PDB file of all heavy atoms in Angstrom:
ATOM      1  N   ALA N 283     -48.515 -43.873  83.642  1.00  0.00           N
ATOM      2  CA  ALA N 283     -49.326 -44.850  84.371  1.00  0.00           C
ATOM      3  C   ALA N 283     -50.572 -44.161  84.973  1.00  0.00           C
ATOM      4  O   ALA N 283     -50.572 -42.900  85.059  1.00  0.00           O
ATOM      5  CB  ALA N 283     -48.520 -45.428  85.554  1.00  0.00           C
ATOM      6  N   SER N 284     -51.543 -44.900  85.355  1.00  0.00           N
ATOM      7  CA  SER N 284     -52.805 -44.336  85.841  1.00  0.00           C
ATOM      8  C   SER N 284     -52.607 -44.104  87.357  1.00  0.00           C
ATOM      9  O   SER N 284     -51.713 -44.598  87.994  1.00  0.00           O
ATOM     10  CB  SER N 284     -53.974 -45.288  85.602  1.00  0.00           C
ATOM     11  OG  SER N 284     -53.828 -46.476  86.382  1.00  0.00           O
ATOM     12  N   TYR N 285     -53.602 -43.331  87.902  1.00  0.00           N
ATOM     13  CA  TYR N 285     -53.587 -43.092  89.343  1.00  0.00           C
ATOM     14  C   TYR N 285     -53.820 -44.380  90.090  1.00  0.00           C
ATOM     15  O   TYR N 285     -53.288 -44.616  91.119  1.00  0.00           O
ATOM     16  CB  TYR N 285     -54.644 -42.046  89.690  1.00  0.00           C
ATOM     17  CG  TYR N 285     -54.113 -40.615  89.463  1.00  0.00           C
ATOM     18  CD1 TYR N 285     -54.615 -39.945  88.359  1.00  0.00           C
ATOM     19  CD2 TYR N 285     -53.170 -40.026  90.231  1.00  0.00           C
ATOM     20  CE1 TYR N 285     -54.132 -38.627  88.114  1.00  0.00           C
ATOM     21  CE2 TYR N 285     -52.678 -38.732  90.004  1.00  0.00           C
ATOM     22  CZ  TYR N 285     -53.200 -38.083  88.925  1.00  0.00           C
ATOM     23  OH  TYR N 285     -52.715 -36.790  88.631  1.00  0.00           O
ATOM     24  N   ASP N 286     -54.626 -45.307  89.555  1.00  0.00           N
ATOM     25  CA  ASP N 286     -54.936 -46.573  90.237  1.00  0.00           C
ATOM     26  C   ASP N 286     -53.608 -47.304  90.313  1.00  0.00           C
ATOM     27  O   ASP N 286     -53.274 -47.880  91.400  1.00  0.00           O
ATOM     28  CB  ASP N 286     -55.852 -47.434  89.407  1.00  0.00           C
ATOM     29  CG  ASP N 286     -57.304 -47.003  89.660  1.00  0.00           C
ATOM     30  OD1 ASP N 286     -57.506 -46.076  90.504  1.00  0.00           O
ATOM     31  OD2 ASP N 286     -58.278 -47.485  88.985  1.00  0.00           O
ATOM     32  N   GLU N 287     -52.841 -47.276  89.229  1.00  0.00           N
ATOM     33  CA  GLU N 287     -51.501 -48.053  89.262  1.00  0.00           C
ATOM     34  C   GLU N 287     -50.538 -47.374  90.257  1.00  0.00           C
ATOM     35  O   GLU N 287     -49.804 -48.053  90.947  1.00  0.00           O
ATOM     36  CB  GLU N 287     -50.948 -48.038  87.844  1.00  0.00           C
ATOM     37  CG  GLU N 287     -51.723 -48.929  86.893  1.00  0.00           C
ATOM     38  CD  GLU N 287     -51.155 -48.871  85.492  1.00  0.00           C
ATOM     39  OE1 GLU N 287     -50.906 -47.740  85.006  1.00  0.00           O
ATOM     40  OE2 GLU N 287     -50.988 -49.931  84.856  1.00  0.00           O
ATOM     41  N   PHE N 288     -50.554 -45.989  90.284  1.00  0.00           N
ATOM     42  CA  PHE N 288     -49.590 -45.368  91.201  1.00  0.00           C
ATOM     43  C   PHE N 288     -50.048 -45.516  92.625  1.00  0.00           C
ATOM     44  O   PHE N 288     -49.170 -45.607  93.502  1.00  0.00           O
ATOM     45  CB  PHE N 288     -49.554 -43.856  90.856  1.00  0.00           C
ATOM     46  CG  PHE N 288     -48.637 -43.563  89.726  1.00  0.00           C
ATOM     47  CD1 PHE N 288     -49.003 -42.684  88.723  1.00  0.00           C
ATOM     48  CD2 PHE N 288     -47.367 -44.118  89.623  1.00  0.00           C
ATOM     49  CE1 PHE N 288     -48.196 -42.421  87.644  1.00  0.00           C
ATOM     50  CE2 PHE N 288     -46.513 -43.855  88.553  1.00  0.00           C
ATOM     51  CZ  PHE N 288     -46.896 -43.014  87.592  1.00  0.00           C
ATOM     52  N   GLU N 289     -51.284 -45.628  92.944  1.00  0.00           N
ATOM     53  CA  GLU N 289     -51.746 -45.958  94.321  1.00  0.00           C
ATOM     54  C   GLU N 289     -51.233 -47.324  94.734  1.00  0.00           C
ATOM     55  O   GLU N 289     -50.666 -47.456  95.838  1.00  0.00           O
ATOM     56  CB  GLU N 289     -53.312 -45.996  94.363  1.00  0.00           C
ATOM     57  CG  GLU N 289     -53.921 -44.650  94.349  1.00  0.00           C
ATOM     58  CD  GLU N 289     -55.425 -44.623  94.595  1.00  0.00           C
ATOM     59  OE1 GLU N 289     -55.874 -45.641  95.271  1.00  0.00           O
ATOM     60  OE2 GLU N 289     -56.170 -43.742  94.161  1.00  0.00           O
ATOM     61  N   TRP N 290     -51.347 -48.280  93.839  1.00  0.00           N
ATOM     62  CA  TRP N 290     -50.735 -49.620  94.095  1.00  0.00           C
ATOM     63  C   TRP N 290     -49.266 -49.471  94.364  1.00  0.00           C
ATOM     64  O   TRP N 290     -48.746 -50.100  95.363  1.00  0.00           O
ATOM     65  CB  TRP N 290     -51.049 -50.623  92.979  1.00  0.00           C
ATOM     66  CG  TRP N 290     -50.194 -51.814  93.082  1.00  0.00           C
ATOM     67  CD1 TRP N 290     -50.454 -52.918  93.848  1.00  0.00           C
ATOM     68  CD2 TRP N 290     -48.923 -52.091  92.520  1.00  0.00           C
ATOM     69  NE1 TRP N 290     -49.453 -53.762  93.802  1.00  0.00           N
ATOM     70  CE2 TRP N 290     -48.460 -53.264  92.986  1.00  0.00           C
ATOM     71  CE3 TRP N 290     -48.106 -51.272  91.643  1.00  0.00           C
ATOM     72  CZ2 TRP N 290     -47.244 -53.857  92.553  1.00  0.00           C
ATOM     73  CZ3 TRP N 290     -46.848 -51.832  91.275  1.00  0.00           C
ATOM     74  CH2 TRP N 290     -46.471 -53.085  91.696  1.00  0.00           C
ATOM     75  N   ALA N 291     -48.532 -48.786  93.481  1.00  0.00           N
ATOM     76  CA  ALA N 291     -47.104 -48.731  93.598  1.00  0.00           C
ATOM     77  C   ALA N 291     -46.704 -48.012  94.896  1.00  0.00           C
ATOM     78  O   ALA N 291     -45.759 -48.380  95.552  1.00  0.00           O
ATOM     79  CB  ALA N 291     -46.521 -47.944  92.418  1.00  0.00           C
ATOM     80  N   MET N 292     -47.449 -46.955  95.278  1.00  0.00           N
ATOM     81  CA  MET N 292     -47.116 -46.229  96.457  1.00  0.00           C
ATOM     82  C   MET N 292     -47.313 -47.133  97.686  1.00  0.00           C
ATOM     83  O   MET N 292     -46.453 -47.111  98.645  1.00  0.00           O
ATOM     84  CB  MET N 292     -47.988 -44.933  96.556  1.00  0.00           C
ATOM     85  CG  MET N 292     -47.656 -43.998  97.627  1.00  0.00           C
ATOM     86  SD  MET N 292     -48.649 -42.472  97.544  1.00  0.00           S
ATOM     87  CE  MET N 292     -48.034 -41.517  98.861  1.00  0.00           C
ATOM     88  N   GLN N 293     -48.390 -47.814  97.693  1.00  0.00           N
ATOM     89  CA  GLN N 293     -48.621 -48.662  98.870  1.00  0.00           C
ATOM     90  C   GLN N 293     -47.695 -49.904  98.918  1.00  0.00           C
ATOM     91  O   GLN N 293     -47.202 -50.347  99.914  1.00  0.00           O
ATOM     92  CB  GLN N 293     -50.116 -49.232  98.804  1.00  0.00           C
ATOM     93  CG  GLN N 293     -51.064 -48.094  99.039  1.00  0.00           C
ATOM     94  CD  GLN N 293     -52.474 -48.465  98.597  1.00  0.00           C
ATOM     95  OE1 GLN N 293     -52.753 -49.395  97.824  1.00  0.00           O
ATOM     96  NE2 GLN N 293     -53.514 -47.694  99.114  1.00  0.00           N
ATOM     97  N   TYR N 294     -47.335 -50.382  97.700  1.00  0.00           N
ATOM     98  CA  TYR N 294     -46.398 -51.551  97.588  1.00  0.00           C
ATOM     99  C   TYR N 294     -45.024 -51.100  98.115  1.00  0.00           C
ATOM    100  O   TYR N 294     -44.365 -51.790  98.893  1.00  0.00           O
ATOM    101  CB  TYR N 294     -46.255 -52.026  96.141  1.00  0.00           C
ATOM    102  CG  TYR N 294     -45.373 -53.191  95.951  1.00  0.00           C
ATOM    103  CD1 TYR N 294     -45.796 -54.458  96.059  1.00  0.00           C
ATOM    104  CD2 TYR N 294     -44.019 -52.958  95.648  1.00  0.00           C
ATOM    105  CE1 TYR N 294     -44.948 -55.597  95.909  1.00  0.00           C
ATOM    106  CE2 TYR N 294     -43.169 -54.008  95.386  1.00  0.00           C
ATOM    107  CZ  TYR N 294     -43.613 -55.330  95.576  1.00  0.00           C
ATOM    108  OH  TYR N 294     -42.740 -56.337  95.375  1.00  0.00           O
ATOM    109  N   ALA N 295     -44.549 -49.946  97.651  1.00  0.00           N
ATOM    110  CA  ALA N 295     -43.231 -49.477  98.037  1.00  0.00           C
ATOM    111  C   ALA N 295     -43.224 -49.172  99.533  1.00  0.00           C
ATOM    112  O   ALA N 295     -42.219 -49.470 100.258  1.00  0.00           O
ATOM    113  CB  ALA N 295     -42.902 -48.166  97.294  1.00  0.00           C
ATOM    114  N   ALA N 296     -44.235 -48.615 100.118  1.00  0.00           N
ATOM    115  CA  ALA N 296     -44.292 -48.274 101.545  1.00  0.00           C
ATOM    116  C   ALA N 296     -44.332 -49.530 102.409  1.00  0.00           C
ATOM    117  O   ALA N 296     -43.807 -49.573 103.472  1.00  0.00           O
ATOM    118  CB  ALA N 296     -45.589 -47.469 101.851  1.00  0.00           C
ATOM    119  N   SER N 297     -44.900 -50.619 101.861  1.00  0.00           N
ATOM    120  CA  SER N 297     -44.972 -51.913 102.635  1.00  0.00           C
ATOM    121  C   SER N 297     -43.700 -52.767 102.526  1.00  0.00           C
ATOM    122  O   SER N 297     -43.556 -53.729 103.232  1.00  0.00           O
ATOM    123  CB  SER N 297     -46.199 -52.758 102.127  1.00  0.00           C
ATOM    124  OG  SER N 297     -45.970 -53.209 100.841  1.00  0.00           O
ATOM    125  N   GLY N 298     -42.812 -52.363 101.629  1.00  0.00           N
ATOM    126  CA  GLY N 298     -41.620 -53.141 101.368  1.00  0.00           C
ATOM    127  C   GLY N 298     -41.915 -54.432 100.723  1.00  0.00           C
ATOM    128  O   GLY N 298     -41.300 -55.448 101.003  1.00  0.00           O
TER     129      GLY N 298
END
Side-chain angles (χ1 to χ4, degrees):
S284 69
Y285 281 105
D286 282 355
E287 290 176 315
F288 281 134
E289 285 187 27
W290 166 82
M292 190 173 182
Q293 292 164 343
Y294 181 89
S297 70

